[in-house]
Structures are given as C-alpha cells and as structure tokens.
C-alpha cells in the first residue's frame, strides 16, 4: 500500500503579517512582504463595530421568531470544538430550543461520537444523526482524491473531498430545517471560515438553487440519483418565506480557542486522537488536505488561519505550526484502506 505524503516544494513566499502563501489564488505582496488581504483590512475598532451590528441583528431576529416552531434553531453539529461551543452558546446563553444535527461520513472518530452524545445529554438538546450509504460516499471521496471535480475557484478554502462532504451536510440540514419549519439554521464556522457579512443571512431561493446546481451536479455525475435525497426537492425552493436564516454566531461573538476548549470540556468534550492540527472531528481531514496541497500548492486551511491571525484571534507562530505539522500517517493509511485506494 502506498503512503500518501505531501510533495516537496521550493520555499514559498508567505505574508509576514499573516500566513497566506503566494500560491493562494489572488495573493499579492507589497515590497514589505505584506499580502493584499492584510492591506485591505480596516482597523480593529471598525471590526468590533461591525460585529456589534450583526450581533444586534441576530438578537432582534430572535425576538421575532423565538417560540414559533417546535425548535428555534437547527445546528449543524460536527462534534468539533467550534460547533460544540456554538451549541452551548445557543442553548445556554441564548436559551434557544435547539436541535443538533450530525452526519456520519464514515470517518467520525469514536471519541467524537461520544462527545456529541455526552454534550447533547448534558445540555438537554435534541439530536439527529444522518448516516448516508457509505458505498456512495466512498465513490465520491475516491473520485475527489483522484481528480478535481469542481472549478478551482470553489476550492479556495476547502479541499475537493471536504467540499463534497459539506455539500451533503449543508443541504441535508437545510432540508430538515424546511421540513420542520425551523427559522434558524446555525453553523459553527470560525471567524476565518465565513465573512462577517454572511454571519446573519436570510437564505435566498435563487442563490440556493444556484448553489444546489453547483454542488449536486458533480456528485450526481459520480453516483447518479443516489445523492438526490441529501439535497432539496424543487417544491422546497418555491416558498421564499419558509427558507431559514443562516446564523454563524462565532463570526460576531468573542472568539478565543482557549476559552472555547475550557467551556466545552466542562460539558464532557474530549480531544479525539489521530487528527491533524486543524480538525477536531474528522479522520478524513489530513488525507484530504494532502491531496489538496499536492494539487494546488497550499494547505486548504491557509485562508482560515491567515484570517484568524489577521484579525487577532490567533498568533502567527501558532498558525504556521499548524500548517507545517505533518499528518498522522497511521490515520492517512486507515483512510486509504477504507477508501480502497
């Protein structure tokens, strides 16, 4: 069996302020070695003012919609630190009747199963598991490992494999929110994973249709209609008023990784073993990262980590260490074996 490794590359220029490499699409550097993303960032006071605006918008929407459905919010819960922390915030800080929703992609660590179970029980939160047919998922993940099935612009912030998996997760969650008439669909995206402008966003039917076409077509080309049940039916897109708001609270609330871990560990959450420095919930992640880095020349977490550094949430030295940490080869071999590669 082969062992997947990152290919050796000549030294890349990296922004001296954040950690964005020159291989990232659209990255440019001035004479001092600072990237255009850092140069375009306004001052910290402006960021805090904008965060306050979105936090107040969310709280105003809660007053309007709370208590009108069996559940106030559906949280897409991967069992990682950020989605677990978001679950705690929604339930304990905002007092929302929350439904947690998780997808088993075949690579969920045993500890993550326990984390989701224990935290939901501790918080008194309802929870749903969805386990798609792994034979279908294996075909999708194998294809994503062997060729690029999306335009490169789609893959700036996530690997091909993660993009496929997240399409199934996000549209399955949206489908459940629609079926249960839940007004808010929440995600545990970090401030580096989603722009603040998208942290409180009413879903638009035309945009959702376009996103579904872009996400569904490549997967349907691989597995046919087997993937259809994880996306929306045509009639579900007709009533714009029923589409929920997308909420990403970590983008407009305080974000500190030490505080996050301290809080969720009190709820029984424990770090799973065998994962890379950028994942706390999925054994597939390291393998997917290596495929992406070999194809495009940068780690798919580079943009997220660069944003966290740029906005003051993470030290640059720590971000560099995460990007450079080698994958656990035992985990990578496990993934290859399970995918039949």
């Amino acid at each position: 069996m082969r062992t997947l490794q990152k290919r050796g590359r000549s030294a890349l220029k990296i922004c001296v302020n954040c950690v964005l490499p020159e291989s990232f699409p659209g990255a440019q550097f001035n004479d001092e070695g600072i990237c255009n993303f850092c140069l375009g960032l306004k001052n910290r006071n402006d960021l805090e003012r904008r965060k306050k605006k979105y936090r107040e918008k969310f709280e105003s929407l809660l007053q309007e919609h709370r208590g009108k459905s069996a559940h106030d919010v559906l949280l897409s819960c991967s069992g990682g630190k950020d989605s677990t922390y978001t679950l705690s915030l929604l339930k304990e800080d905002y007092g929302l009747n929350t439904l947690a929703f998780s997808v088993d992609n075949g690579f969920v660590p045993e500890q993550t199963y326990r984390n989701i179970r224990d935290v939901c029980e501790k918080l008194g939160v309802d929870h749903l598991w969805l386990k798609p047919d792994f034979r279908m998922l294996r075909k999708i993940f194998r294809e994503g490992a062997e060729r690029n099935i999306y335009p490169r612009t789609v893959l700036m912030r996530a690997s091909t494999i993660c993009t496929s998996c997240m399409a199934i997760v996000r549209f399955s969650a949206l489908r459940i929110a629609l079926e249960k008439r839940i007004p808010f669909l929440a995600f545990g995206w970090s401030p580096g994973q989603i722009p603040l402008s998208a942290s409180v966003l009413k879903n638009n039917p035309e945009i959702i249709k376009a996103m579904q076409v872009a996400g569904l077509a490549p997967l349907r080309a691989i597995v046919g209609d087997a993937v259809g049940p994880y996306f929306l039916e045509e009639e579900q897109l007709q009533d714009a008023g029923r589409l929920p708001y997308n909420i990403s609270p970590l983008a407009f609330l305080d974000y500190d990784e030490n505080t996050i871990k301290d809080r969720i560990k009190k709820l029984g959450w424990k770090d799973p073993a065998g994962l890379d420095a950028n994942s706390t919930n999925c054994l597939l992640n390291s393998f997917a990262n290596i495929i992406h880095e070999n194809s495009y020349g940068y780690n798919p977490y580079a943009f997220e980590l660069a944003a966290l550094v740029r906005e003051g949430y993470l030290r640059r030295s720590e971000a560099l260490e995460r990007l450079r940490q080698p994958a656990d080869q035992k985990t990578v071999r496990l993934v290859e074996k399970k995918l039949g590669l």
Side-chain angles (χ1 to χ4, degrees):
M1 183 189 301
R2 69 191 176 100
T3 299
L4 186 64
Q5 298 274 9
K6 289 193 289 188
R7 296 171 187 162
R9 295 182 182 273
S10 58
L12 288 171
K13 181 187 290 185
I14 297 174
C15 177
V16 299
N17 187 62
C18 66
V19 293
L20 202 70
E22 61 181 335
S23 52
F24 186 83
Q28 299 174 9
F29 299 84
N30 68 6
D31 293 340
E32 280 116 33
I34 301 174
C35 76
N36 51 315
F37 292 90
C38 287
L39 293 170
L41 180 68
K42 295 182 179 180
N43 63 54
R44 183 77 189 182
N45 288 336
D46 180 71
L47 177 63
E48 292 302 321
R49 179 189 61 79
R50 292 174 60 230
K51 288 172 64 174
K52 182 174 182 289
K53 182 184 77 170
Y54 281 95
R55 183 170 65 251
E56 290 174 347
K57 180 179 180 180
F58 173 54
E59 291 170 355
S60 175
L61 287 169
L62 287 186
Q63 296 302 315
E64 180 181 351
H65 295 284
R66 185 196 299 268
K68 292 185 177 179
S69 298
H71 293 94
D72 298 314
V73 58
L74 174 69
L75 171 71
S76 182
C77 182
S78 68
K81 64 177 177 57
D82 289 339
S83 66
T84 303
Y85 180 64
T86 303
L87 179 61
S88 173
L89 290 173
L90 295 173
K91 177 66 176 181
E92 296 185 303
D93 292 28
Y94 286 100
L96 296 175
N97 189 356
T98 306
L99 174 62
F101 166 69
S102 306
V103 174
D104 180 356
N105 68 357
F107 294 95
V108 179
E110 287 299 322
Q111 183 59 54
T112 298
Y113 281 112
R114 291 193 288 271
N115 286 341
I116 293 173
R117 179 198 65 202
D118 293 348
V119 170
C120 285
E121 287 184 357
K122 186 86 171 180
L123 292 174
V125 167
D126 294 338
H127 179 259
L128 291 175
W129 271 110
L130 174 65
K131 191 178 190 317
D133 180 3
F134 184 70
R135 293 168 298 180
M136 177 194 72
L137 293 178
R138 182 169 54 205
K139 289 180 182 178
I140 291 171
F141 296 152
R142 280 176 58 106
E143 198 75 12
E146 294 173 345
R147 68 180 182 91
N148 301 322
I149 63 176
Y150 301 103
R152 185 172 181 179
T153 52
V154 175
L155 304 174
M156 291 172 65
R157 306 184 190 189
S159 68
T160 298
I161 290 172
C162 287
T163 298
S164 298
C165 189
M166 282 309 304
I168 292 172
V169 171
R170 292 175 71 175
F171 278 95
S172 294
L174 180 54
R175 182 166 181 155
I176 291 171
L178 281 166
E179 290 170 351
K180 292 184 172 293
R181 299 181 178 271
I182 299 174
F184 297 105
L185 176 55
F187 299 92
W189 303 126
S190 79
Q193 289 177 310
I194 190 167
L196 184 56
S197 59
S199 62
V200 183
L201 187 67
K202 176 69 171 177
N203 276 300
N204 176 286
E206 295 307 315
I207 293 176
I208 291 296
K209 285 179 184 178
M211 290 175 60
Q212 171 148 308
V213 169
L216 178 57
L219 303 185
R220 183 166 274 159
I222 299 168
V223 297
D225 291 337
V227 75
Y230 310 102
F231 288 80
L232 301 184
E233 302 289 346
E234 183 62 33
E235 57 268 23
Q236 292 176 306
L237 292 168
Q238 300 307 314
D239 187 356
R242 288 185 54 211
L243 286 171
Y245 285 87
N246 280 355
I247 305 296
S248 300
L250 301 188
F252 55 76
L253 298 175
D254 291 335
Y255 185 82
D256 178 79
E257 293 194 347
N258 291 326
T259 301
I260 287 172
K261 283 207 169 183
D262 286 345
R263 177 162 175 166
I264 63 178
K265 285 180 177 179
K266 291 176 182 177
L267 295 172
W269 188 94
K270 297 178 181 178
D271 274 300
L275 303 181
D276 61 85
N278 298 301
S279 175
T280 52
N281 60 359
C282 183
L283 294 167
L284 188 56
N285 201 62
S286 294
F287 175 84
N289 290 348
I290 295 173
I291 295 290
H292 186 92
E293 196 161 356
N294 286 344
S295 297
Y296 298 109
Y298 65 93
N299 189 302
Y301 282 87
F303 188 86
E304 175 190 351
L305 294 175
L308 291 176
V309 172
R310 193 179 302 124
E311 297 178 12
Y313 300 111
L314 187 67
R315 292 192 302 273
R316 183 175 185 272
S317 58
E318 186 176 355
L320 285 171
E321 183 179 350
R322 291 188 189 183
L323 291 172
R324 293 167 177 169
Q325 184 188 75
D328 184 319
Q329 284 300 315
K330 181 179 178 181
T331 300
V332 172
R333 289 194 296 271
L334 179 151
V335 171
E336 290 183 313
K337 182 178 180 180
K338 195 164 184 177
L339 292 181
L341 295 171

